[in-house]
Amino acid sequence: MKIYKAKDYEHLSQIAANILAAQVTLKPDSVLGLSTGQTPIGTYKKLVEKYKSGDLCFNKVVGINLDEYYGLGADNPQSYAYFMNNNLFNHVNINTENVHIPNGLSQDIFAECTRYDEVIAKNPIDIQLLGIGSNGHIGFNEPDAELKLNTHYITLAKATIDTNKRYFKNEYEVPKMAYTMGIKQIMHAKKILLLASGESKAEILRKAFKGSLTTNVPASLLQMHRNLIIVGDEAALKGVF
Ligand code: PGA
């Protein structure tokens, strides 16, 4: 496990973007496992800057997103497809055919999970970007007695709905179901880059990386990954590392 302590969110975003840019520079056809949420926004902004200044090219990059809300399509501003277009894909030269996100509007849940499993099997992930939920979820793998290995359809935890309701008019509008990559697919990424910012993440980081492995804190399983990089700012890492 490698830990990078950033002084603040801006610095965290710079370090994370540098790591992803190095990956793409060394392997232009890298498969990037991508994530959404508040934390990676700064990183995507820095990647766009690197692209615009000519330092980075995405034309061979493949992007595979972790998760998507059930029932939301790319034209819905709350969907993760919309988030990715808005924060990254619309601003760089990534080939739209190389962009993969579970289809929240699919009529057949099981077929959609199988389709996504095939996408992941065909495109082994070089580096997976992750955030950590306040309950320790990664992607939408929520705390439970058992975790699913592959792409699946999940009921969101109350804690996740509570955290994410700030993006919606009210909590009733937050989708209660989502698609997510499974834990095996995340663990199979060659590298994992986990970002955490702010003091609200310190307690869950302590549970995940200083406690025992438990499916009740899905991020704790990352302790077993051979190439885990954690980039956190001082507030998030305080008392943890
Ligand atoms: P956040 O989400 O970046 O908005 O804190 C992280 C997550 O839920 O995985």
Side-chain angles (χ1 to χ4, degrees):
M1 193 188 307
K2 274 193 203 121
I3 320 286
Y4 289 92
K5 274 192 198 185
K7 55 181 188 304
D8 54 23
Y9 179 70
E10 174 74 15
H11 189 206
L12 170 155
S13 302
Q14 190 69 61
I15 295 171
N18 287 347
I19 292 170
L20 291 169
Q23 170 69 44
V24 172
T25 304
L26 291 170
K27 184 172 183 260
D29 60 350
S30 287
V31 179
L32 306 182
L34 298 169
S35 65
T36 56
Q38 205 58 38
T39 317
I41 290 176
T43 304
Y44 292 146
K45 204 163 161 250
K46 304 269 179 211
L47 288 176
V48 170
E49 282 166 20
K50 286 177 191 288
Y51 165 71
K52 291 202 164 141
S53 64
D55 287 338
L56 201 54
C57 177
F58 286 80
N59 70 346
K60 292 191 182 136
V61 166
V62 175
I64 302 192
N65 265 78
L66 274 173
D67 46 15
E68 179 60 286
Y69 286 120
Y70 177 73
L72 302 192
D75 56 350
N76 186 317
Q78 311 300 346
S79 73
Y80 289 168
Y82 187 100
F83 174 102
M84 289 308 302
N85 288 335
N86 199 32
N87 285 288
L88 183 66
F89 301 149
N90 286 348
H91 311 291
V92 298
N93 64 336
I94 196 162
N95 183 340
T96 48
E97 281 167 23
N98 290 342
V99 162
H100 304 282
I101 302 185
N103 177 7
L105 295 180
S106 172
Q107 295 299 309
D108 184 337
I109 293 163
F110 297 104
E112 181 55 16
C113 292
T114 304
R115 182 192 73 79
Y116 214 61
D117 283 345
E118 285 167 5
V119 167
I120 297 167
K122 266 193 222 135
N123 298 280
I125 295 170
D126 288 299
I127 185 163
Q128 176 67 55
L129 185 61
L130 288 181
I132 181 169
S134 55
N135 62 357
H137 76 198
I138 44 177
F140 276 139
N141 291 277
E142 301 284 21
D144 206 339
E146 289 178 8
L147 298 178
K148 299 249 173 22
L149 298 177
N150 293 318
T151 310
H152 57 285
Y153 177 73
I154 194 162
T155 304
L156 299 178
K158 169 105 178 53
T160 301
I161 293 169
D162 284 347
T163 308
N164 291 0
K165 69 184 179 199
R166 64 197 149 137
Y167 302 114
F168 294 81
K169 274 197 215 124
N170 56 55
E171 79 171 84
Y172 304 104
E173 288 203 359
V174 186
K176 307 297 179 286
M177 313 291 292
Y179 290 103
T180 183
M181 235 184 236
I183 212 78
K184 182 181 80 180
Q185 293 164 320
I186 294 174
M187 291 299 284
H188 275 188
K190 291 176 198 142
K191 292 191 198 96
I192 292 184
L193 175 57
L194 180 113
L195 309 183
S197 171
E199 62 181 310
S200 66
K201 295 289 165 83
E203 192 189 333
I204 194 62
L205 283 177
R206 216 169 12 252
K207 281 193 191 145
F209 297 104
K210 294 294 179 182
S212 19
L213 300 192
T214 165
T215 57
N216 288 317
V217 182
S220 70
L221 303 183
L222 298 174
Q223 291 185 46
M224 289 192 298
H225 196 276
R226 275 197 281 183
N227 209 337
L228 171 66
I229 305 162
I230 299 179
V231 184
D233 56 20
E234 278 174 10
L237 298 186
K238 197 167 172 208
V240 188
F241 296 112

